Amino acid sequence: MLLNLKIHKQISRHKKEAFEILSDILMNPNFEERYFKRAQALLADKIRRRYDEPFWIARDKIMELVFDGNCYGAIPSEKQMKSYSLNDVQSVWNRYRKSRNIMMGISTSLEYG
């Protein structure tokens, strides 16, 4: 318990800086081609491995049936994901990033305020 309180105090004294960093990331994202390509490769690998576990096969099939392949029922393909460009991502970000259009969930043991 004592160790937990020490950690809590150490973390809480950095919360202002942490939220400033998070705000900077959201307001000024780093759209560099190398990071985009790395993220694309990671997503492609995730798509390729998606059916390594039977749960995901069943989940995707249920979503496809319930939503008729639209919206939540759309299953991304590697080809589709690789068709997106960095410019596409930037355009979507600039179009939808608005102060009232961002929701963020934060889980912490720190008190609010």
Side-chain angles (χ1 to χ4, degrees):
M1 183 73 163
L2 185 60
L3 179 62
N4 193 17
L5 288 173
K6 285 181 181 180
I7 292 171
H8 185 275
K9 285 182 181 181
Q10 289 173 349
I11 292 172
S12 66
R13 69 182 170 156
H14 297 292
K15 67 182 174 184
K16 183 176 187 271
E17 291 85 2
F19 281 105
E20 286 174 0
I21 291 168
L22 183 59
S23 174
D24 185 47
I25 289 170
L26 290 171
M27 299 310 292
N28 306 299
N30 186 353
F31 288 114
E32 286 187 37
E33 188 72 29
R34 64 186 170 139
Y35 298 128
F36 175 74
K37 292 294 182 190
R38 186 179 308 156
Q40 236 179 356
L42 289 169
L43 287 172
D45 187 55
K46 183 177 180 179
I47 289 170
R48 278 191 299 274
R49 294 172 182 253
R50 140 174 97 221
Y51 295 140
D52 286 355
E53 296 180 41
F55 167 82
W56 294 107
I57 297 170
R59 182 219 170 257
D60 284 356
K61 194 60 174 171
I62 289 168
M63 296 299 278
E64 182 183 331
L65 292 170
V66 170
F67 294 101
D68 197 28
N70 297 309
C71 298
Y72 293 111
I75 300 169
S77 70
E78 187 176 351
K79 181 181 177 186
Q80 179 185 37
M81 188 273 311
K82 285 188 173 185
S83 73
Y84 301 132
S85 69
L86 179 58
N87 190 45
D88 295 332
V89 172
Q90 286 176 304
S91 295
V92 169
W93 180 260
N94 290 330
R95 182 174 179 187
Y96 293 106
R97 185 209 63 209
K98 307 275 189 259
S99 62
R100 295 187 183 264
N101 199 26
I102 295 176
M103 274 199 285
M104 184 176 12
I106 298 173
S107 176
T108 179
S109 62
L110 301 177
E111 291 185 25
Y112 178 74

